[in-house]
Amino acid sequence: MDVAAIGELLIDFTCKSIDEDGYPAMEAHPGGAPANFLAALSRYGFRTALLGKVGKDAFGKLLVGTLQKAGIETRGMVMADDAFTTLAFVTLDEQGDREFSFARKPGADTQLSFEELNLSLIDEAKVLHFGTLSLTDEPSRTATVRTVEYARSKGKLITFDPNLRKPLWSSLEEAKEQMLWGLGQADVVKISDDEVDVLFACSPEEGAEKIRKEFGCKLVFVTCGADGCYYRNRNCSGHVPALSGITVLDTTGAGDIFGGSAVARLLQCGKAPEELERADLEEIVRFACTAAGLSTTKPGGISSVPDPETVLEYLSK
């Protein structure tokens, strides 16, 4: 096993069209940030596993089947009799920005307990990945905290994506507290410019350096959507532009696919995150930006990861 992740597996409903009364026609896609992240790694040849929980319902069964088709190990998935699979609805606001609504009160992903986890998957893995959606509620918060502690005690590389979804938190202060906790656990962080602004009210470049210095992270990626990505480790910092000349259809999951693609290239490189030089990081981020950009030309998250040949073809242009 190369990479294990703990967290949500859910259905993303994205807006396909809007009727004359303003109601959206929705299209269902498999999603969940950790699952999207692993789908990219799996597509690029790495062995992956998800530890999570879905309902024993039609959507839960579909999602587990999707993981299997994507090459993601499902021994860590639990199916709940007493909770429904979480549903996320992605619509556009008046400015054209994504707006999230969730059917998750509670969702099965929040009901995952530490006692239900298959820790052998973490024992087998080199990397553990987590985000903040599993930190919003109990018992999944305690399960995530204990899992990260377990992985750190075993010397695993820890990767983290804050993935702020404001509607899921009782308050923004609670969200910030958990995001900051996550930063303090991680070796590698993928964070968005919006999340940097929420936490630190500073520029992406300043945020990357702050996370590295104050939280001890070895490698930081700050993604900026159409403006590309800033990177920082102890050796260097820089910026790589986003992929241009594409028609964007759906940005859902693009940040997750960036993260999975970046970790894939990091593992292929064979160097510790803090040892990477500028040439290494430029190659990693260009690949990840290209993969994430191409994913936006298709709907969904797991289903939109481009194959490696297509990414390399775009990189060669």
Side-chain angles (χ1 to χ4, degrees), residues 224-275:
C224 305
D227 291 327
C229 174
Y230 289 89
Y231 61 83
R232 186 76 172 94
N233 73 350
R234 71 181 185 187
N235 293 326
C236 59
S237 63
H239 173 263
V240 171
L243 180 65
S244 60
I246 56 174
T247 301
V248 175
L249 177 65
D250 181 9
T251 60
T252 304
D256 311 322
I257 292 167
F258 174 97
S261 302
V263 171
R265 299 306 277 190
L266 170 63
L267 292 174
Q268 286 175 342
C269 183
K271 295 182 181 179
E274 68 272 24
E275 300 297 335

Side-chain angles (χ1 to χ4, degrees), residues 157-208:
L157 186 77
I158 308 295
T159 66
F160 174 59
D161 177 4
N163 193 33
L164 177 62
R165 295 290 177 258
K166 293 179 183 179
L168 293 178
W169 295 92
S170 59
S171 71
L172 187 56
E173 288 308 309
E174 183 187 20
K176 289 180 182 179
E177 179 183 339
Q178 295 302 317
M179 292 165 73
L180 294 172
W181 176 83
L183 293 176
Q185 310 306 308
D187 300 300
V188 178
V189 168
K190 195 290 294 180
I191 187 170
S192 74
D193 54 346
D194 289 339
E195 290 157 352
V196 165
D197 186 59
V198 166
L199 287 175
F200 309 118
C202 67
S203 69
E205 305 98 307
E206 292 169 328

Side-chain angles (χ1 to χ4, degrees), residues 39-40 43-44 257 261 287 290-298 301-311:
R43 179 64 64 92
Y44 303 135
I257 292 167
S261 302
F287 184 93
T290 302
L294 289 171
S295 78
T296 69
T297 65
K298 297 179 180 179
I302 294 173
S303 54
S304 69
V305 180
D307 60 67
E309 293 77 18
T310 302
V311 178

Side-chain angles (χ1 to χ4, degrees), residues 100-206:
F100 290 85
S101 303
F102 293 88
R104 193 185 188 231
K105 295 181 179 181
D109 64 300
T110 69
Q111 301 305 296
L112 180 68
S113 68
F114 184 74
E115 290 71 26
E116 292 175 303
L117 295 176
N118 185 343
L119 296 178
S120 68
L121 294 169
I122 296 172
D123 294 334
E124 296 170 22
K126 302 171 187 173
V127 179
L128 174 71
H129 177 74
F130 74 106
T132 57
L133 265 68
S134 58
L135 294 170
T136 60
D137 297 274
E138 293 290 1
S140 61
R141 179 183 294 182
T142 294
T144 302
V145 169
R146 292 184 63 183
T147 300
V148 171
E149 290 172 349
Y150 180 85
R152 282 170 61 95
S153 75
K154 298 288 184 178
K156 308 301 181 181
L157 186 77
I158 308 295
T159 66
F160 174 59
D161 177 4
N163 193 33
L164 177 62
R165 295 290 177 258
K166 293 179 183 179
L168 293 178
W169 295 92
S170 59
S171 71
L172 187 56
E173 288 308 309
E174 183 187 20
K176 289 180 182 179
E177 179 183 339
Q178 295 302 317
M179 292 165 73
L180 294 172
W181 176 83
L183 293 176
Q185 310 306 308
D187 300 300
V188 178
V189 168
K190 195 290 294 180
I191 187 170
S192 74
D193 54 346
D194 289 339
E195 290 157 352
V196 165
D197 186 59
V198 166
L199 287 175
F200 309 118
C202 67
S203 69
E205 305 98 307
E206 292 169 328

Side-chain angles (χ1 to χ4, degrees), residues 78-111:
V78 180
M79 300 194 80
D81 289 311
D82 56 351
F84 198 76
T85 300
T86 294
L87 308 178
F89 300 88
V90 188
T91 52
L92 299 178
D93 64 18
E94 293 177 354
Q95 287 73 45
D97 296 322
R98 290 184 304 161
E99 189 170 26
F100 290 85
S101 303
F102 293 88
R104 193 185 188 231
K105 295 181 179 181
D109 64 300
T110 69
Q111 301 305 296

Side-chain angles (χ1 to χ4, degrees), residues 62-86:
L62 276 171
L63 286 167
V64 171
T66 295
L67 291 186
Q68 293 168 342
K69 289 177 185 176
I72 300 169
E73 174 60 61
T74 59
R75 280 183 290 142
M77 292 303 303
V78 180
M79 300 194 80
D81 289 311
D82 56 351
F84 198 76
T85 300
T86 294

